[in-house]
Amino acid sequence: MKTHSSFFFTGATVLTLFGLLSGHWLMLPIAFLIAFCGMVVADREQLADMDARTAAMLLVLPSQHPLLPLDHFHGDELMFYQAGSPVYRVLQANGASWELVGEYGKVEDDSGCIRVYPGYLYRRRSTSVRQG
């Protein structure tokens, strides 16, 4: 039998009210512990309700690349918008250029890639020395 988070929150509220009204102050830490357990259960319920695509964008698994924010990059050649964010063909940061490979999960994963919000892989461009 699986316990729902509302059970913990209701129990914590009842214990808190009982402890305050009766003067049993030692019940308050127990009520806080039960409320904390309720928050953990509620968090797991929300994660279970997420679809796989949303969870992949928000959660980093050990085998995945971390999801980097687009704010740290300067983008060139805007291609389209995904999830309200621009997707560029080329990203630049700290003198390095990164070229779009494709959407994470739809292209072959490479250890030399970075993953940028909203979930696209970019591979570092090789720098060529220009003679002039």
Side-chain angles (χ1 to χ4, degrees), residues 23-36:
H24 293 100
W25 305 111
L26 293 177
M27 284 187 153
L28 293 179
I30 296 170
F32 288 129
L33 179 66
I34 292 172
F36 180 74

Side-chain angles (χ1 to χ4, degrees), residues 39-96:
M39 287 188 290
V40 170
V41 171
D43 190 40
R44 289 185 180 173
E45 290 170 357
Q46 288 178 348
L47 288 175
D49 289 341
M50 271 189 214
D51 67 341
R53 184 176 171 89
T54 305
M57 287 174 52
L58 298 177
L59 305 174
V60 177
L61 299 175
S63 62
Q64 290 181 341
H65 301 288
L67 188 62
L68 302 173
L70 192 58
D71 300 337
H72 301 292
F73 296 95
H74 171 73
D76 290 331
E77 302 178 37
L78 176 66
M79 295 178 58
F80 55 90
Y81 284 87
Q82 176 74 28
S85 294
V87 177
Y88 296 99
R89 185 178 308 276
V90 177
L91 296 177
Q92 297 175 354
N94 300 329

Side-chain angles (χ1 to χ4, degrees), residues 68-126:
L68 302 173
L70 192 58
D71 300 337
H72 301 292
F73 296 95
H74 171 73
D76 290 331
E77 302 178 37
L78 176 66
M79 295 178 58
F80 55 90
Y81 284 87
Q82 176 74 28
S85 294
V87 177
Y88 296 99
R89 185 178 308 276
V90 177
L91 296 177
Q92 297 175 354
N94 300 329
S97 289
W98 303 86
E99 189 169 13
L100 179 67
V101 176
E103 189 172 357
Y104 183 78
K106 294 187 178 178
V107 295
E108 186 175 324
D109 194 7
D110 189 357
S111 62
C113 292
I114 59 171
R115 190 168 63 122
V116 180
Y117 182 81
Y120 284 87
L121 289 176
Y122 287 84
R123 182 175 293 123
R124 189 177 196 134
R125 283 178 145 181
S126 60

